[in-house]
Amino acid sequence: MPLEIVRNDITKMAVDAIVNAANSSLLGGGGVDGSIHRAAGSGLLEECKTLGGCKTGDAKLTGGYDLPCKYVIHTVGPRWMGGHLGEKELLRSCYQKSLHLAKEKNCETVAFPLISSGAYGYPKDQALKVAIDTIGDFLLTHDMTVYLVIFDRAAYQIGEKLFSAIVEYIDDHYVDAYTDYRLERTRMVFPQEASFSTSRAPEPPAFAAPQAMPMSAEAGLDEKLKQIDESFSEMLLRKIDEKGMADADCYKKANIDRKLFSKIRSDAHYRPSKPTAIAFAIALELPLAETKDLLMKAGFALSHSNKFDIIIEYFISKGNYNIFEINEALFAFDQSLLGA
Ligand code: AR6
């Protein structure tokens, strides 16, 4: 998955480069900076001393020393001063400069902490949004796997704040689903009676024992199999063509790795996971009914009995097809992310 949000300690990430939320001296400090220097050993500080510091919004690169990564990219985030002193642009610049440095060094995997969101006081919900938007923009034109590492989710109140509309939507639709489910059960158990009856549920129908298939039925099955419907990959490729999209635009918008896309392209019977199938529906900006058709090709449905599906439905119903924003919401609600 090109952009993945994970919960981890960044010093444990075995990637090509990790990014350090440093200060302009580059000589170490607290927070993630302190942890990175401790885990890397004294060689890192020695190299940092040769760099002549770093401006806010800029980034510099060193080796990884005892860390499991090849490089550390040190960037200096802005201190939060209320949001009117160019903090957002400076924070965007931290991500952009770091990503370009990583690209120059041919890094394929890079992990970022949530820059400025600790000692520098940038509100975490806004810091997360800037991170996701900026990394997302970069990934539209570059192939790389970027991990956004969230350390202290417990202290992290993004769900309610950023997504109150989604909370409301989930509440409404969960209630509907629950009510429908109760009604269904009542109908099943008590077909003609009032719902307070204590009668037992009817037995499920017995299944007939499997029997050997007669020759003519076998021939019929052969015929049927020849008329098999369009597969998931076939429908996907057709829709990409119909939209006049380039393949790369589609898989990037879907947060899907290029290699996986080529696999899907070359295998007409590829069975994607549900988050992958939905990711393509989002990239293609399909309305709800067409999303459901595409999902059905992969053997999935959208229902109102789980949050994941309701969140997807919420974004589609609002016409918001930004996969990174959807993932931000899915992460806030502890759901699987879209892409692969
Ligand atoms: N792995 C991943 N994320 C972490 C880790 C870790 N091991 N430790 C902390 N975080 P901060 P800033 C998260 O304060 O706000 C330093 O003293 C943390 O939860 O490290 O950019 C520097 O020297 C928070 O969300 O960086 C500077 O003086 C995020 O990393 C100043 O702090 C950033 O918190 C920079 O402040």
Side-chain angles (χ1 to χ4, degrees):
M1 196 183 292
L3 172 56
E4 214 165 315
I5 310 175
V6 296
R7 224 163 294 151
N8 205 344
D9 173 348
I10 204 164
T11 63
K12 306 276 190 291
M13 305 258 329
V15 285
D16 293 334
I18 64 168
V19 177
N20 180 18
N23 58 57
S24 53
S25 77
L26 294 189
L27 300 179
V32 71
D33 194 6
S35 305
I36 289 176
H37 274 273
R38 272 192 300 281
S42 58
L44 180 62
L45 181 60
E46 290 312 310
E47 187 177 352
C48 282
K49 283 180 185 166
T50 67
L51 298 177
C54 180
K55 286 198 201 111
T56 303
D58 209 346
K60 292 197 174 171
L61 181 136
T62 64
Y65 298 88
D66 297 342
L67 288 160
C69 55
K70 266 190 252 163
Y71 303 110
V72 179
I73 295 170
H74 307 262
T75 188
V76 183
R79 286 173 196 273
W80 180 254
M81 310 293 279
H84 300 294
L85 294 175
E87 291 95 325
K88 187 172 167 189
E89 289 67 31
L90 287 167
L91 188 54
R92 276 184 74 83
S93 163
C94 288
Y95 287 99
Q96 286 162 344
K97 293 265 170 71
S98 303
L99 287 164
H100 282 108
L101 268 182
K103 196 76 215 168
E104 267 171 44
K105 292 285 175 186
N106 296 317
C107 294
E108 291 180 356
T109 50
V110 179
F112 280 91
L114 212 47
I115 300 161
S116 283
S117 72
Y120 281 179
Y122 209 107
K124 283 186 194 272
D125 50 352
Q126 295 182 48
L128 179 70
K129 191 157 175 39
V130 172
I132 290 180
D133 289 351
T134 314
I135 298 168
D137 285 350
F138 177 85
L139 291 176
L140 289 178
T141 46
H142 298 86
D143 281 331
M144 200 184 265
T145 299
V146 179
Y147 298 92
L148 191 53
V149 182
I150 307 295
F151 192 54
D152 55 345
R153 182 146 194 291
Y156 201 65
Q157 301 298 330
I158 51 174
E160 296 286 318
K161 247 175 110 187
L162 259 186
F163 302 111
S164 53
I166 300 179
V167 172
E168 217 169 274
Y169 193 86
I170 291 174
D171 282 352
D172 286 354
H173 292 78
Y174 242 159
V175 169
D176 284 354
Y178 181 68
T179 313
D180 291 350
Y181 174 67
R182 286 263 308 255
L183 266 173
E184 273 317 305
R185 274 172 47 113
T186 312
R187 272 193 217 114
M188 261 178 56
V189 177
F190 312 114
Q192 280 116 26
E193 299 177 21
S195 51
F196 296 109
S197 157
T198 53
S199 56
R200 281 180 35 190
E203 295 293 326
F207 289 103
Q211 287 172 356
M213 199 179 279
M215 284 295 283
S216 58
E218 255 178 52
L221 182 58
D222 273 354
E223 273 313 300
K224 286 266 174 241
L225 285 172
K226 278 185 202 142
Q227 296 159 18
I228 203 159
D229 268 1
E230 186 181 37
S231 70
F232 172 82
S233 328
E234 287 163 348
M235 182 183 264
L236 172 67
L237 297 174
R238 174 171 62 79
K239 286 195 181 282
I240 293 176
D241 285 348
E242 282 170 6
K243 297 261 169 189
M245 262 178 130
D247 286 356
D249 290 342
C250 181
Y251 67 72
K252 284 186 172 153
K253 267 187 85 182
N255 198 28
I256 300 273
D257 183 77
R258 179 170 45 84
K259 289 185 203 122
L260 177 70
F261 184 81
S262 347
K263 222 189 254 174
I264 298 175
R265 186 169 240 316
S266 57
D267 179 359
H269 302 294
Y270 185 85
R271 297 289 300 263
S273 69
K274 187 168 170 180
T276 300
I278 294 180
F280 280 117
I282 296 296
L284 290 162
E285 304 194 359
L286 300 183
L288 200 56
E290 283 184 54
T291 298
K292 288 180 176 173
D293 286 348
L294 184 65
L295 275 179
M296 209 156 63
K297 295 287 176 191
F300 302 113
L302 283 181
S303 83
H304 279 177
S305 50
N306 72 69
K307 279 189 194 174
F308 176 86
D309 290 7
I310 295 176
I311 293 170
I312 300 302
E313 192 184 292
Y314 170 85
F315 277 92
I316 294 177
S317 69
K318 297 277 170 220
N320 182 344
Y321 291 98
N322 182 330
I323 200 140
F324 301 117
E325 278 181 31
I326 300 175
N327 275 347
E328 194 181 329
L330 288 169
F331 180 78
F333 290 95
D334 261 330
Q335 303 297 310
S336 316
L337 304 188
L338 298 185

